[in-house]
Amino acid sequence: MTRGAESKQHPAQRERRKNNDKQRTKIFKDYFYIGGIIAVIAGVIAILGVSALVALAGNADGTGLLYASSILLTIISVIEIIAGAKGLKACKVPENAGKCVTWGIVIAVLSIISMVIGLIGGGEFNITSLVLNLLVPGLYVSGALKTKPNVNA
């Protein structure tokens, strides 16, 4: 919707649209909280699994990328939890929504880096994983952009 068309909307319609955008940001905030917590647990389990593999094998040859990928997964998960907290602030104070855009982009970039490390380490490319790793942060950024107050208004 263009700015001209948006200004012609009835004030009640504009308010309803802004409430929908805040609701969208809240939904993805919840996803980042829950998904982040689950992923932190998975990352710690992955790190412990790689350590157990090294202990059973007796040497650490070829485990560098496994460690790197597991640690990056854990870092991304912590960032998702932070993004969830920032999303909550943005819902309460829309002026904070600009920070959510940055956090969403950081999550998307780190997710791609993690996938590339996995591919270099011999993993298989999974289109579903790529789509989900970009879709959820993208929708989070979209909700944050729509929640952010219009500076020119």
Side-chain angles (χ1 to χ4, degrees):
M1 180 174 290
T2 63
R3 291 183 194 264
E6 189 174 293
S7 64
K8 293 178 185 176
Q9 276 186 337
H10 190 274
Q13 287 177 322
R14 271 193 302 256
E15 188 62 32
R16 196 170 334 140
R17 183 178 185 90
K18 194 141 282 293
N19 286 339
N20 287 343
D21 294 336
K22 285 182 183 179
Q23 185 65 30
R24 184 179 307 119
T25 303
K26 283 181 183 179
I27 290 168
F28 286 103
K29 176 258 323 169
D30 291 339
Y31 168 77
F32 279 140
Y33 269 144
I34 295 167
I37 291 168
I38 292 169
V40 164
I41 294 167
V44 170
I45 291 171
I47 292 168
L48 293 174
V50 172
S51 298
L53 180 67
V54 168
L56 289 174
N59 70 30
D61 291 344
T63 58
L65 287 176
L66 286 173
Y67 272 120
S69 184
S70 299
I71 290 169
L72 189 57
L73 169 71
T74 307
I75 291 170
I76 293 169
S77 304
V78 170
I79 292 173
E80 284 181 356
I81 294 170
I82 293 169
K86 297 293 182 183
L88 180 62
K89 279 186 181 178
C91 290
K92 293 179 180 176
V93 182
E95 289 78 23
N96 291 334
K99 295 175 185 173
C100 293
V101 173
T102 304
W103 286 105
I105 291 170
V106 166
I107 290 169
V109 168
L110 288 176
S111 295
I112 291 172
I113 291 170
S114 177
M115 289 184 67
V116 169
I117 289 173
L119 290 173
I120 292 171
E124 292 184 18
F125 178 75
N126 185 346
I127 190 71
T128 306
S129 179
L130 175 67
V131 168
L132 290 177
N133 281 330
L134 296 178
L135 180 68
V136 175
L139 290 172
Y140 178 79
V141 168
S142 172
L145 288 173
K146 291 181 179 183
T147 301
K148 191 165 81 169
N150 189 353
V151 178
N152 297 330

